[in-house]
Amino acid sequence: MTSKPEQPVDERLLHAHDLALRALREITPADTVGPAADYLVEDGGVVSLRFHTRLLGYPGWYWTVSVAVVEDAEPTVLEAELMPGDGALLAPEWVPWATRLADYHAAQAAAAENDESEDDDDVDDDLDDDDDLDDTDDDEDAEEEPKGRFHAGDLDGVDIDELDESDDPEVDAEDDESDEDASNEDASDEDASDEDEHDRSY
């Protein structure tokens, strides 16, 4: 886009491309300069001729050469430089080191406070989980533990009926046989004693 001059401009400046290119070759290799783009009319009758740049990493930038006519002399170069155009990729605004350091310290403090808060929440969650596990274990123990059966005649939690074997038929039979054997032995002893007394009387 070519700027419309708002004041009289020396036509020689608008066509001073060769002069501008010679000035650019003094500050950058010729293969970094592209074709002419447009021009800008500055204050004081200065014209800035702009050329596309072929430098990598500078999209939207232009090689800019400012030319002017001084005291009716031939056009001359005032300055040559690489300048950004509209929408050019620019570096972020410079921030003093003291400001960046203060921002860094504030960010670190906020991060540390957030970490402490998260740690406290984790500890609380762990304690709650432990309490839940303890309650679950107690419930399982209560369900698994058999309840004792006590009734009259129990002594210190011992069922006396378990110690009484008199209701067992086999045990009763064995006891009866033992009693019968003992009775037979006693009868034999009495007969032997009677015979001894009879012998002594004669």
Side-chain angles (χ1 to χ4, degrees), residues 40-200:
L40 301 175
V41 177
E42 313 287 355
D43 294 338
V46 177
V47 175
S48 294
L49 302 176
R50 303 203 305 179
F51 299 83
H52 291 286
T53 179
R54 290 174 176 158
L55 287 174
L56 297 178
Y58 288 89
W61 288 66
Y62 297 92
W63 290 111
T64 305
V65 180
S66 299
V67 294
V69 175
V70 180
E71 297 180 354
D72 296 331
E74 292 294 323
T76 185
V77 174
L78 301 180
E79 59 183 349
E81 56 189 339
L82 185 63
M83 297 290 293
D86 296 337
L89 180 62
L90 301 175
E93 184 179 356
W94 182 81
V95 179
W97 168 247
T99 303
R100 287 184 286 166
L101 185 60
D103 293 342
Y104 172 77
H105 286 162
Q108 291 292 97
E113 183 177 354
N114 186 39
D115 291 341
E116 291 179 359
S117 177
E118 291 180 355
D119 291 341
D120 293 340
D121 293 340
D122 292 340
V123 171
D124 293 339
D125 292 341
D126 292 340
L127 292 177
D128 292 339
D129 293 340
D130 292 340
D131 292 340
D132 294 339
L133 290 175
D134 292 339
D135 294 340
T136 302
D137 292 340
D138 293 340
D139 293 340
E140 291 178 354
D141 293 341
E143 293 176 358
E144 293 176 359
E145 183 177 358
K147 296 182 179 179
R149 299 183 180 88
F150 300 103
H151 54 76
D154 291 350
L155 180 62
D156 294 336
V158 178
D159 191 353
I160 295 177
D161 292 340
E162 294 180 357
L163 302 178
D164 187 5
E165 299 178 354
S166 61
D167 294 337
D168 190 348
E170 295 182 359
V171 174
D172 291 342
E174 292 178 358
D175 291 342
D176 292 341
E177 292 177 0
S178 298
D179 293 340
E180 185 177 352
D181 293 340
S183 298
N184 294 333
E185 290 178 359
D186 291 339
S188 299
D189 292 340
E190 289 178 356
D191 294 340
S193 177
D194 292 339
E195 291 178 358
D196 291 338
E197 289 181 357
H198 182 269
D199 293 338
R200 283 195 298 271

Side-chain angles (χ1 to χ4, degrees), residues 9-17 19 49 67 69-75:
V9 178
D10 193 322
E11 290 293 329
R12 292 176 298 175
L13 298 179
L14 300 180
H15 302 286
H17 293 95
L19 178 63
L49 302 176
V67 294
V69 175
V70 180
E71 297 180 354
D72 296 331
E74 292 294 323

